[in-house]
Amino acid sequence: ATGWKLSIDRNVGSFSCAKLIREDARRRVEEVVVGALLKLEDDELKGEYFPLEKSVSWAEKSGGMSSAEADQLRAHGALFEETDCSDTRNWPDARGVFMSNNKKLFVHINKEEHVSFFCVGTSGEGAIHFQEMFKHICKALSSSEASIFDEEQQMYGRSDNLGFLLSSLDKIGTGMTVQLIVKVPKLTKRQQIDFMSNHTGLTFTNIHIPAEGKKVPLQDLFALSVPQLLGSSESDILNRLIEGTNELAKHEKTLAAGRKKLWLLEERPKVLIIGASESLADDVSHATRLAKEYHLGLVTSQEAVQLEIDKDSKLGRTAKWYLDAGKPVPREVVRDAMMDLLKDKEGLSHQVRIAGAGAPSGWVCSGFPASPEEVEMLMAAEIKPNKIISLKPDAVVEQAVVARRLGRRREKYERRIFYLQDEPANQTAQKDSNFEKLSEDRGNLVAEATTAYTAGYDKLVKVLGKLGPVEVVLSGEMEVQAKQMSLHISTAGTTATMTTVGGAEPMPAGAPAKTTAMANGDHIYE
């Protein structure tokens, strides 16, 4: 940000609004308000009133401010012109600017409202911060209103239901406007300003940059503000500006870093989540949460198989035979079904990209690929994820996977297969004679499968590196893992706190996988 402006507008209660007011009443407003401002006793608020040039309404400065005073106010961004006003009757009579001696507080008289208090801040040393700006204006508002009441028995117009009453309907309530001045050259060059305005909900007002000689500068300077809604509080307005500006800055920095597309807008996440629980026990909790959070298509073994059954394809008929028999669908059938679904997702993404309409598609795939051979299948099909997250198995993970698989049950009559963890209402199924364990889960079969997955993990991650950088997350509390995964997906490229496997620079032969370990919410690097 290069600067900011905070303004709060008010009208004096018994007078018509500035757009309808008569000449004699406008002069009376100037007399009442300026009189109150000149009586401010706080050293930070004391100042001088400058009627506009050629105004004769203020007796102490008939004829208005001098050209030098006008240039000074203009340099501070505090002077307003006839073109800035919607009502120019009797221009420039009874209009002017109050400026504090320390040049931190300015007040427009009879511009669009009776009075508009504002502060202008700039970046750099000695800059006035927002909290200080708000403090100055609130102090000036309360002191001037108290003086007006003492002298005239009037207050700033206010309704118990609507808040402060103003002629600009979009300002009724708080009367507050916050503007942030920013330069966004990358987004301006890409002609993405209207797009970002719709995306962030902010109003972008271009600030003209004059040419220097024959060189025409890029018009990349904008004032950001929040379209106000009736009922919004001061904190609502400020928070919406902060959130929108942060989003804008994120995309400007993304483009400045060399990316060709706006992450999450023009380019959507295509996420692979690899883990023992995901591959061996159909755990889709992480994928489901991310799909909901980022509005992504969900690719799971259950969905892929069900789609094939609904299509009555050869794969679907094979899968249905196993399910009707109360048996798990073989891995090769699940694998082929998930490949078909991923190809469909990739095709949708490509069609949207070519058509240029609507938001680009994205997806999150859980538990696939689970072997180097399945990675090779993705590569052969040219399915290219841009985010790969691998949950590294350890003793804790192995125990969790075994426990989940040992909680898998089959209904004897309907032949439906489910996990006790996913259906709390069926927790009694462990002792219910209507449910039974699957033969695939008896004895040491589950433990052996989990051990085999763990033994082949490093090889799997190394091969995954051919698809792109791999974020390897160690075991921990699910909420901590979820936070790290969300951070990774929300950031274009790699996260600032992550180390990766694979990608542009292959891992040296025999090198251990670098991981981002997480314990009690802290980041630990290995």
Side-chain angles (χ1 to χ4, degrees):
T2 63
W4 47 89
K5 177 181 177 181
L6 170 65
S7 63
I8 298 181
D9 297 346
R10 294 290 185 264
N11 281 328
V12 181
S14 65
F15 294 96
S16 300
C17 69
K19 295 179 181 179
L20 301 175
I21 198 168
R22 300 190 312 271
E23 180 181 8
D24 58 336
R26 186 184 298 111
R27 288 191 171 196
R28 180 68 178 140
V29 168
E30 180 186 43
E31 178 185 351
V32 170
V33 173
V34 175
L37 293 172
L38 294 176
K39 291 178 183 178
L40 295 174
E41 298 179 352
D42 193 304
D43 290 338
E44 291 186 330
L45 303 179
K46 288 181 178 179
E48 184 178 358
Y49 177 59
F50 301 91
L52 295 188
E53 292 179 272
K54 299 182 181 180
S55 173
V56 296
S57 57
W58 190 252
E60 296 180 15
K61 265 194 176 182
S62 183
M65 68 181 80
S66 66
S67 297
E69 291 169 336
D71 290 340
Q72 181 186 24
L73 289 171
R74 190 176 289 109
H76 287 285
L79 187 65
F80 65 97
E81 311 285 352
E82 186 173 3
T83 53
D84 298 322
C85 300
S86 57
D87 176 36
T88 58
R89 292 172 300 151
N90 313 115
W91 184 267
D93 189 69
R95 298 172 174 91
V97 182
F98 174 87
M99 179 173 67
S100 64
N101 296 330
N102 59 16
K103 300 177 177 59
K104 291 184 176 180
L105 174 69
F106 301 90
V107 186
H108 284 161
I109 308 299
N110 286 323
K111 183 186 175 184
E112 290 292 275
E113 309 293 346
H114 293 163
V115 56
S116 178
F117 294 77
F118 68 96
C119 291
V120 178
T122 57
S123 57
E125 188 176 352
I128 178 172
H129 297 292
F130 183 85
Q131 292 89 342
E132 188 179 356
M133 293 165 64
F134 192 75
K135 178 181 176 182
H136 278 319
I137 292 180
C138 287
K139 191 184 297 183
L141 279 168
S142 60
S143 298
S144 61
E145 185 175 45
S147 180
I148 291 173
F149 184 79
D150 289 342
E151 295 293 330
E152 306 291 335
Q153 286 73 55
Q154 295 197 56
M155 301 178 71
Y156 293 133
R158 186 178 185 279
S159 162
D160 290 338
N161 294 326
L162 300 176
F164 289 99
L165 303 176
L166 300 162
S167 58
S168 299
L169 298 181
D170 60 341
K171 293 183 180 180
I172 290 177
T174 65
M176 186 178 87
T177 303
V178 186
Q179 285 188 324
L180 189 65
I181 313 301
V182 299
K183 283 180 72 71
V184 283
K186 297 297 182 181
L187 288 165
T188 302
K189 288 179 180 178
R190 288 171 54 87
Q191 299 182 342
Q192 292 285 356
I193 298 303
D194 289 342
F195 179 79
M196 291 306 301
S197 177
N198 292 331
H199 176 65
T200 61
L202 301 180
T203 298
F204 286 62
T205 304
N206 185 245
I207 300 175
H208 180 70
I209 302 175
E212 298 180 2
K214 295 182 179 180
K215 185 177 180 180
V216 179
L218 179 67
Q219 299 298 319
D220 60 352
L221 190 64
F222 294 88
L224 308 182
S225 59
V226 177
Q228 296 191 33
L229 301 174
L230 194 62
S232 297
S233 67
E234 289 85 350
S235 60
D236 291 336
I237 295 170
L238 184 58
N239 286 335
R240 286 171 61 197
L241 180 64
I242 291 172
E243 291 170 1
T245 304
N246 285 339
E247 182 72 6
L248 178 71
K250 179 179 72 176
H251 294 296
E252 177 70 15
K253 289 178 180 178
T254 294
L255 295 176
R259 292 189 69 86
K260 303 297 184 183
K261 297 180 180 179
L262 297 179
W263 180 244
L264 297 182
L265 298 179
E266 296 174 316
E267 183 179 7
R268 297 288 289 161
K270 300 174 184 178
V271 188
L272 294 181
I273 300 180
I274 311 302
S277 185
E278 284 72 17
S279 297
L280 303 179
D282 301 318
D283 187 352
V284 297
S285 52
H286 281 307
T288 302
R289 181 188 58 79
L290 290 174
K292 183 177 181 180
E293 182 176 357
Y294 291 98
H295 307 290
L296 304 173
L298 184 61
V299 180
T300 66
S301 58
Q302 299 97 317
E303 181 182 2
V305 168
Q306 187 59 52
L307 283 173
E308 294 295 334
I309 293 174
D310 293 342
K311 291 189 297 185
D312 196 28
S313 66
K314 183 177 179 181
L315 276 177
R317 290 192 294 272
T318 302
K320 189 174 187 302
W321 184 91
Y322 279 96
L323 292 174
D324 288 345
K327 296 176 178 289
V329 180
R331 180 65 188 182
E332 57 269 23
V333 176
V334 172
R335 174 197 66 196
D336 292 345
M338 295 191 77
M339 282 295 300
D340 285 348
L341 182 53
L342 281 171
K343 289 176 183 177
D344 288 343
K345 297 291 184 184
E346 280 290 277
L348 175 61
S349 178
H350 181 71
Q351 291 168 15
V352 171
R353 187 163 59 248
I354 295 299
S361 177
W363 45 262
V364 53
C365 176
S366 178
F368 182 84
S371 67
E373 293 74 22
E374 292 179 353
V375 175
E376 297 294 341
M377 291 177 66
L378 286 176
M379 295 177 62
E382 297 185 348
I383 295 174
K384 299 178 180 179
N386 48 33
K387 297 287 182 179
I388 305 175
I389 301 174
S390 184
L391 305 173
K392 185 173 183 178
D394 57 15
V396 175
V397 173
E398 290 184 23
Q399 292 175 8
V401 173
V402 171
R404 180 173 170 81
R405 276 286 294 272
L406 292 179
R408 188 163 63 164
R409 293 291 184 273
R410 174 176 55 209
E411 292 178 336
K412 286 185 177 180
Y413 301 106
E414 295 183 8
R415 314 303 287 170
R416 184 177 70 94
I417 299 173
F418 65 93
Y419 291 86
L420 295 178
Q421 287 185 4
D422 298 338
E423 299 188 13
N426 281 328
Q427 292 294 329
T428 57
Q430 193 154 348
K431 298 180 180 180
D432 195 320
S433 60
N434 292 321
F435 302 97
E436 60 186 0
K437 277 189 175 183
L438 279 69
S439 59
E440 293 82 350
D441 297 339
R442 297 185 185 279
N444 294 324
L445 293 178
V446 176
E448 290 172 358
T450 306
T451 301
Y453 182 92
T454 302
Y457 173 79
D458 288 339
K459 182 179 179 180
L460 173 61
V461 170
K462 187 174 181 179
V463 177
L464 277 170
K466 296 179 181 180
L467 292 172
V470 181
E471 165 90 345
V472 182
V473 181
L474 296 189
S475 66
E477 294 182 5
M478 180 167 286
E479 291 184 4
V480 178
Q481 286 185 327
K483 183 177 180 181
Q484 176 72 357
M485 294 166 72
S486 183
L487 173 65
H488 179 44
I489 291 177
S490 67
T491 306
T494 57
T495 59
T497 58
M498 72 173 276
T499 52
T500 60
V501 177
E505 297 184 11
M507 293 282 290
K514 295 181 180 179
T515 62
T516 301
M518 304 174 64
N520 299 323
D522 298 324
H523 299 293
I524 305 170
Y525 300 93
E526 296 186 342

